[in-house]
Amino acid sequence: MTSPHPPKVAGINPPVPAPAHTSAPAVPTPPTAPEASSPASGTLFQDRLAGWVSDLTTLHELTERLSRTADLDAALRELLRAGASLVGAGRGLVTLHPDSGTGHPVTVGLGLGHADIGHIETIPPAPAPRTHGPYRVPDDAGPHSSPYVRLLDDLPPEGDRSGRIHPDIPGEDDLDPRYREVAARLGYAASYALPLESAAGPPSGPEADAPPGAGRVGAAVWLYDEPAEPSERQRHLAGLYCGYAAEHLARLIELTGARDAVAVLREELLPSRLPHIPGIRLAVRHRTGPRGGGNWFDALPLPEGALGLAIGGITDSGPGAVAATGRLRASLRAYAVMEGEDPVAVLSDLELLLRLTEPARTATALFAYCEPPGTLPGEGRGRKVVVAGAGHCSPLIVGPGRVEYVETSLSAPLGMLACWEAPSVEIEPEPGETLLFYSDGLLHRTGDSMDRAFARLRSAAATVPRSARRDPEAIADHVLRTVLPEPEGGDPADPAEDVVLLVAHFE
């Protein structure tokens, strides 16, 4: 007589074996009918059911924590911490393959310092190249690629997520002597490695038969201080968790690649270096939000030794805003070369172009024309600066005798009116004075109201040390450090906002 099937429980599909601490001793013979229906059998089933529920709850909590990570570094560290708790290890290492989409190996350790990871990188690959799915140990694998190659070289082929156990590294004769030497130096005696294999991640190999968007993105290994190995239940839970983690990492890798592409494009659309103009020293600081905002700046030499300074922002963020920013900046450069001595005309032309070519966008802009030296009556080195603004924050002039905002005329942003025009203002900075141009993101990132943010910026400029007042680089660093101190949580009040600070010091 066979034992009856345990009763079905709605909503419970036991995905893992029964926990070791609830399993009953092996029974050599099938139970009889009276024994099968005994209270002990019901208690055993209840214990197993409680173990399954506990495992599912643990997996749910760990995957929830992982899903809240928004960047690769945080996700890899969370993966290591969760995996260590599941398999009962104290230390670990996770690495991504260069072909995963990151462009280069990314390695993160748990309980391992940089020197420890460096020792692991000296472990040589296998003596002969072997192929596992899309992976092949290269013949010329160097020390920089060896940690990832070594992990993968010891893993089963793609499609098999069972991992690899080394329960007693000092006692295994077939291991490379360097492997045992590094293990002894770092003080671990056993390891358990798992592949990170995604069904929807980026391609990880050159094989044409690999499904698009599938493959291994990396591997993780956990280290034990004493000879040990995880139980069957622990291995099953870790495999389920790593399967979810691989999908999450694949999405983050794709997102990171897109962000990197936008960042490269954005940097290429901004000035690669500032011009050298006699009598004016420049410095700039540019911090971009994670989505790639539309703030921009420019500093371009103009005919007869003049200088044009511009700063602005466009609505929206992301690749579309970055591309629109590049078009807007290129257009302003052309107008500045043709009629830069009249900033109002420059912004008027820019507004017309924006209205015709980007009807769904608005933009703020400020353009300053710094006349060539020697144009002020009776002065050999004087300069006059003509400024016009369209909805942008007024520049701040800083000197030994004054720290004040330039009174530019209040006007609407570009693209909001049928015909934009506002009067310009003229200022005459003295030798030793500095003009600060900045984006509104600098104010927003403070987390204060606009009035308090303006006051904070003015106070930061006024407290520049006397020894740094003639160095635009030092001025920029002091202002940013004072206006945006590092918060306790490590994140600014609004990290999505771009920050641009352009400093022009007149000698």
Side-chain angles (χ1 to χ4, degrees):
M1 178 180 299
T2 60
S3 60
H5 295 289
K8 296 182 178 179
V9 179
I12 298 296
N13 180 22
V16 296
H21 65 279
T22 59
S23 58
V27 180
T29 58
T32 61
E35 293 173 342
S37 58
S38 65
S41 176
T43 302
L44 176 62
F45 174 76
Q46 292 295 333
D47 288 345
R48 290 181 176 177
L49 180 61
W52 294 333
V53 172
S54 174
D55 290 342
L56 290 175
T57 302
T58 300
L59 283 176
H60 175 73
E61 292 175 352
L62 294 178
T63 53
E64 279 289 310
R65 287 170 54 181
L66 181 65
S67 66
R68 289 194 290 268
T69 58
D71 59 78
L72 274 177
D73 185 74
L76 293 174
R77 295 185 186 281
E78 177 59 32
L79 163 64
L80 280 177
R81 286 192 294 266
S85 67
L86 289 175
V87 301
R91 292 178 290 174
L93 180 75
V94 61
T95 183
L96 299 180
H97 193 272
D99 295 337
S100 63
T102 58
H104 54 83
V106 176
T107 304
V108 173
L110 173 67
L112 297 171
H114 292 294
D116 299 333
I117 295 176
H119 285 304
I120 295 177
E121 289 178 353
T122 65
I123 299 175
R130 293 190 292 177
T131 301
H132 291 318
Y135 297 105
R136 178 180 181 274
V137 179
D139 297 326
D140 58 347
H144 294 291
S145 60
S146 61
Y148 184 79
V149 170
R150 181 65 197 181
L151 288 175
L152 277 188
D153 183 51
D154 204 30
L155 289 174
E158 185 171 322
D160 184 351
R161 303 185 182 183
S162 58
R164 189 69 73 214
I165 305 172
H166 290 287
D168 187 7
I169 292 176
E172 295 186 39
D173 297 331
D174 58 343
L175 287 179
D176 188 281
R178 179 60 182 168
Y179 195 107
R180 290 197 296 271
E181 179 185 344
V182 170
R185 178 186 292 269
L186 300 185
Y188 66 89
S191 66
Y192 176 52
L194 277 175
L196 299 173
E197 188 171 310
S198 169
S204 55
E207 281 72 6
D209 56 350
R216 287 184 181 171
V217 296
V221 60
W222 289 276
L223 309 175
Y224 298 86
D225 295 339
E226 302 292 338
E229 60 180 291
S231 66
E232 181 182 356
R233 167 178 166 266
Q234 289 175 320
R235 294 196 300 269
H236 192 75
L237 288 174
L240 291 175
Y241 178 79
C242 285
Y244 174 84
E247 303 296 336
H248 183 64
L249 288 174
R251 290 190 292 269
L252 288 180
I253 289 170
E254 185 178 2
L255 179 60
T256 300
R259 287 175 175 172
D260 290 344
V262 171
V264 171
L265 174 63
R266 180 177 59 247
E267 294 302 323
E268 290 297 325
L269 292 175
L270 292 176
S272 58
R273 59 182 180 179
L274 298 174
H276 295 281
I277 302 295
I280 302 179
R281 298 170 61 196
L282 302 174
V284 68
R285 297 293 182 268
H286 184 207
R287 297 180 184 177
T288 307
R291 294 190 296 272
N295 284 282
W296 53 276
F297 68 93
D298 206 349
L300 65 155
L302 297 175
E304 300 179 357
L307 174 68
L309 299 174
I311 190 170
I314 198 167
T315 55
D316 204 1
S317 61
V322 172
T325 296
R327 294 191 292 268
L328 196 69
R329 174 176 167 265
S331 302
L332 183 139
R333 284 195 143 215
Y335 298 143
V337 170
M338 292 186 295
E339 48 192 4
E341 68 279 359
D342 186 357
V344 172
V346 172
L347 295 185
S348 296
D349 293 342
L350 193 65
E351 192 276 336
L352 177 60
L353 178 71
L354 182 69
R355 185 153 37 90
L356 294 177
T357 61
E358 308 276 351
R361 298 185 186 274
T362 60
T364 64
L366 186 143
F367 181 72
Y369 175 78
C370 305
E371 289 189 349
T375 57
L376 289 180
E379 294 188 12
R381 299 178 59 204
R383 284 183 182 268
K384 183 174 67 175
V385 180
V386 185
V387 182
H392 201 82
C393 304
S394 300
L396 180 65
I397 187 167
V398 182
R402 57 176 172 172
V403 179
E404 59 190 25
Y405 288 99
V406 178
E407 294 295 336
T408 55
S409 300
L410 182 64
S411 62
L414 305 176
M416 294 190 67
L417 301 178
C419 181
W420 178 91
E421 186 170 349
S424 60
V425 296
E426 296 182 0
I427 54 177
E428 298 177 4
E430 298 289 338
E433 291 189 325
T434 302
L435 274 175
L436 303 183
F437 304 86
Y438 51 94
S439 66
D440 56 0
L442 177 62
L443 305 176
H444 292 161
R445 281 213 194 188
T446 63
D448 295 332
S449 64
M450 292 302 288
D451 289 342
R452 290 176 60 87
F454 275 115
R456 174 183 274 189
L457 175 59
R458 185 181 182 280
S459 175
T463 57
V464 173
R466 184 180 298 274
S467 59
R469 291 178 183 176
R470 294 186 177 274
D471 183 358
E473 299 285 346
I475 293 174
D477 290 336
H478 174 83
V479 169
L480 279 186
R481 188 168 54 248
T482 307
V483 175
L484 300 178
E486 188 68 24
E488 295 182 2
D491 294 324
D494 191 352
E497 288 278 357
D498 286 8
V499 171
V500 180
L501 178 61
L502 180 61
V503 181
H505 177 75
F506 296 85
E507 297 179 332

